[in-house]
Amino acid sequence: MIQQPRAGELAQPPEAIDTLGAHDEERPARRLGARWGRFVHVAAVGIALLVLWQVFFPFSQGTGFYLVIFVGLTLPLVYLCYRRTVRPRDPDADDPGPVDIALAALALVVGLYPVLPFGFGDFAGGYDAFLDRGGQLSTWDILAGTLLLVLVLEAARRTTGLVLPVVCLAFLAYAYYGGYLPQHWAVAHAGVDFSQIVNGLVNDPSGFYGIPTGVAASYIVLFTIYGAVLNSSGAGKFFVDFSFALFRRSRTAPGRTAATSGFLLGTVSGSGTATTVTLGAITWPVLRQAGYPRENAGGLLAASGIGAILSPPTLGAAAFIIAEYLETSYLTVMVWAIIPTILYYLGIVLAVEMDARRFGAREVAVDVPGVWRVLRGGLHHFASLAIIVVFLALDIPPFTAVVYATGVAALFALGARLVEARTGEPAERPWWLRAAGRWLADMAGALADGIRGALPVIAVCAAAGVITSVITKTGLGQVLADALVQLARALSDNPTVVLVLTVVFAGIAVSVLGLAVPVTASFIIAWVVIGPALVDLGVAPAEVAMFIFYYAVLSEVTPPTALAAVAAAAITGGAVLKTMWQTWKYTLPAFLVPIAFVLTDNGAALLLRGPPLDVLWVTAASALGVAALAVLTGGWLFGPARLPERLLCLLAAALLLYLQPVSVGIGIACLVAAVVVHVLTRRHTVEAEEPDEGKEANRANA
């Protein structure tokens, strides 16, 4: 019998933490000593309180003023919390050294330079004076902006690796030297001098303080704090217990539990790889006992972890940027994701059902209470999630809604502490005072964890401002988008084929880009470079944004890097490449369904953008397409599926996901043909085996 952790315990074991640090797209943070840990803790709590205060009492100087302060306060923490190298030079002492402290101090000064209330000559002088010099920066302004650029790139390197800073440097070189390119080249431009580059970074809305950083300083940080508070209230442990209790004992229960736990844990994580590691540490023993091969279990864990950031109500960070870019509400983006999420988990459930039969999976007894008992003890953990959805439906801004949801989660955490203290051992202090003290410590820790957890995203969003600023100043985005379409038109003159080829090229480009840079940066770059190509071909911006979003997220399970799959393989001990391909099998619907968004006008119905009847038939057709894909990759229908049935399912899936009535009708016919062929072949096989079994029985009797 598998023993689950006690209530409230969902801490990752040390080996899981090491796995996460080795394979997450974000570099591992320092394990600070007591002194520096306290300092960073206090600083992070202070920043969190500032962020919460800003929601209800925004600065009168405007959003730009707040973003300068936010970046100026969080950038130094990156240098204190993240080391220069991946591994600590001294395992016993991982505190920041003199260089790190000096860089943190410099980051504080140059980050807050535009809002420093004092000055002399052209040095600082306050935010209004800095804005007045916009376009004609002083020498001090250029120096401060240059230092900030260097510090932002180094912060991105420390938190995510070398690739993103190198890409940023390449764009900066293009901005500066692009004027020297032959002017008949499409990518040539008039040239941008260095002062204009710096001005674009610190003054233009496409630079450091643009939409990505604005989203990081509001939506992302607040949702990260919410996740930390929710987890501190015991929600993570409840979600896992609920998933185990929901399916109880059956041979498909372990796989279903992994998928459900991944979906629920995503509300308190926000990282696909982190969810995979947490999920694997808890559910891999159950999957192993059920008879899952290591590689298949790893693939299921990675797919379940990634599904968490593809699913409402707490989508990945890029979803908030979609809302800002398209000037729509976050609730609308959540609604767009509903049917794709259903199709994604339909694919996983079908794969789980097929695998359980193909592997001969066994029932596993898990030591958890009944589902109703688990619900009675933790149903309140769903309340804060419901508040977010209800408040968004009432047109309350998402950052306000998540603050209220955080408050509700904090109150439930207080209630849990009071109950624990009231029923615990007698102590010198009154039980309610002991409970309040522990609760305050929990909440302070959650606020600090929320800010520390958002530091890599903040660094990425600030660094992405370099790329968006250069693209805006040089017009490179439209040039590259035109080149993508021209490549497709060089292969065919048919408009439909051109669209199909452009979509395929775009999907490959986003996937490759995602191999090198984090999901948020991948989405931002792809939106300004690849997005215009699809929009120029008549695809609506909403479908384009969701298409790019899905492919950016799926880069975490795309070979040859597939960070989530690599982390899952480290947990299960499976072969890495085989685990990657098993992950690809589970996530294949997520790769193909987004293509259906953009190939036809009917694809908009998958985002609930269309008449109800269109939504109904398009969803049904896509579900059949996902089922056909499951048969293709799982090799199982009513029994083992052979090559003819699988080829027919491949054709059926392709036709069903090209959402036109004629192609859907042919696709259904192909799927029916696959079922008929399978039934007839299976019956013939069974009849052929029966005489042999009879002969063996006669021999045994003799």
Side-chain angles (χ1 to χ4, degrees), residues 173-435:
Y174 169 73
Y176 190 77
Y177 293 106
Y180 297 101
L181 296 174
Q183 290 302 302
H184 63 276
W185 289 11
V187 294
H189 58 85
V192 185
D193 65 41
F194 190 74
S195 63
Q196 290 177 311
I197 292 174
V198 173
N199 183 70
L201 294 175
V202 298
N203 269 326
D204 290 351
S206 59
F208 290 142
Y209 311 114
I211 287 177
T213 303
V215 169
S218 53
Y219 301 97
I220 295 174
V221 167
L222 289 170
F223 270 85
T224 306
I225 292 172
Y226 165 68
V229 172
L230 191 63
N231 192 43
S232 72
S233 69
K237 175 64 173 58
F238 162 72
F239 290 150
V240 173
D241 281 350
F242 174 68
S243 300
F244 275 108
L246 186 63
F247 300 109
R248 302 301 293 174
R249 294 181 61 174
S250 72
R251 60 181 178 177
T252 59
R256 294 178 183 176
T257 298
T260 306
S261 298
F263 171 74
L264 294 173
L265 283 175
T267 61
V268 297
S269 171
S271 166
T273 305
T275 303
T276 298
V277 172
T278 303
L279 185 63
I282 298 168
T283 60
W284 163 233
V286 182
L287 293 171
R288 178 174 53 199
Q289 189 171 336
Y292 270 75
R294 297 177 183 272
E295 290 78 13
N296 292 78
L300 175 59
L301 293 173
S304 301
I306 290 300
I309 54 176
L310 291 172
S311 311
T314 51
L315 294 159
F320 301 104
I321 299 177
I322 291 175
E324 290 298 309
Y325 277 157
L326 298 184
E327 298 181 348
T328 188
S329 68
Y330 178 63
L331 177 63
T332 301
V333 179
M334 284 172 49
V335 170
W336 292 345
I338 289 175
I339 292 178
T341 298
I342 294 172
L343 295 174
Y344 181 81
Y345 281 98
L346 173 64
I348 290 182
V349 168
L350 291 174
V352 166
E353 296 291 329
M354 294 175 184
D355 284 351
R357 288 159 176 77
R358 192 155 55 94
F359 303 143
R362 300 178 294 273
E363 295 182 0
V364 179
V366 181
D367 184 19
V368 292
V371 63
W372 294 114
R373 184 177 172 186
V374 172
L375 273 177
R376 283 198 304 270
L379 185 61
H380 59 275
H381 290 301
F382 289 116
S384 59
L385 293 171
I387 285 175
I388 293 176
V389 176
V390 171
F391 278 24
L392 291 177
L394 295 175
D395 206 24
I396 295 175
F399 38 84
T400 305
V402 75
V403 171
Y404 285 128
T406 303
V408 169
L411 289 176
F412 281 128
L414 174 60
R417 280 299 187 187
L418 288 172
V419 171
E420 177 186 333
R422 186 72 176 86
T423 58
E425 294 292 331
E428 295 181 2
R429 290 189 303 167
W431 63 269
W432 57 268
L433 189 60
R434 187 169 68 253

Side-chain angles (χ1 to χ4, degrees), residues 625 628-629 632 644-658 663-664 666-671 673-674:
L629 288 173
L632 169 67
E645 302 104 280
R646 296 173 79 171
L647 290 177
L648 283 170
C649 285
L650 172 61
L651 181 59
L655 290 168
L656 285 165
L657 291 175
Y658 188 78
S663 63
V664 168
I666 299 173
I668 293 174
C670 290
L671 187 57

Side-chain angles (χ1 to χ4, degrees), residues 685-701:
T685 302
V686 171
E687 291 174 352
E689 290 175 351
E690 283 178 354
D692 295 336
E693 293 173 357
K695 292 177 182 179
E696 291 177 3
N698 290 334
R699 291 193 192 101
N701 292 332

